[in-house]
Amino acid sequence: MTDSRAAEARPRGRPRRPSARPAIVEATLELLAERGFQAATIDAIAARAGVGRNTIYRRWSSKEELIADALHELTAELDVHEGEDLYGLLLDWIQDFARVFADPLFGRIFPAVLGELQRNPDFARVYSERVVRPRYEALLGLLRRARERGELRGDADVEQIADLLAGPPFVRLLPLGLPPVTEHYAEELLETIWRGIAPERA
């Protein structure tokens, strides 16, 4: 290939730094924990990450999208996995849920996020679309397939089951003075739920 053809084959513009995304996500989470949602501006995130504003805007069209994606990565343990053992999968999910909410970094960020969800409809929409709904739908799909295979009662309400899996540990992990989540909490919670949703055996 001649030099002129090689030059034509090269993509135009400055290539993206391979490390830009991790640095931006880390800076976003740090600023959320240190200063809160309002102070975690694109300018502040870019300065902390050592990148330009355009580097961020090439990947995310808004601060809300960036923060939602950063929170998705912080809580990656909550992605729903497939497998043969439904009971084991649900137990792992509850344990992961408890670990995520007990993480010190998440604990510093969560109050600001919760407040912003209530007063910022754009962020609430993006957070739901990118973080909550995909995982919720994946969990419902897992439960529906298990019900079809006879691993759950035929009349089991998968939406209520999903609520029961997440609701109790969520409430326990809020600073409300309730008993703490113990080492065996996940097993005890799932065993209680399982008695009501497992198929009856002849």
Side-chain angles (χ1 to χ4, degrees), residues 147-177:
R147 185 176 60 188
E148 291 169 0
R149 293 193 301 267
E151 296 177 58
L152 297 175
R153 286 174 41 179
D155 61 350
D157 186 322
V158 295
E159 292 186 359
Q160 288 190 2
I161 296 171
D163 292 345
L164 288 170
L165 292 169
F170 175 79
V171 172
R172 282 287 192 97
L173 291 161
L174 292 175
L176 300 174

Side-chain angles (χ1 to χ4, degrees), residues 14 19 29 35 59 63 72 81 83 118 125 135-136 138 154 164 170:
R14 187 173 60 182
S19 61
L29 296 173
R35 305 181 192 176
R59 292 164 171 79
K63 165 182 161 177
H72 186 277
H81 302 288
Q118 295 175 321
R125 174 184 55 78
R135 289 168 175 166
Y136 183 69
L164 288 170
F170 175 79

Side-chain angles (χ1 to χ4, degrees), residues 27 30 34 69 91 94 135:
E30 288 175 355
E34 294 170 10
D69 280 357
L91 179 59
I94 297 173
R135 289 168 175 166

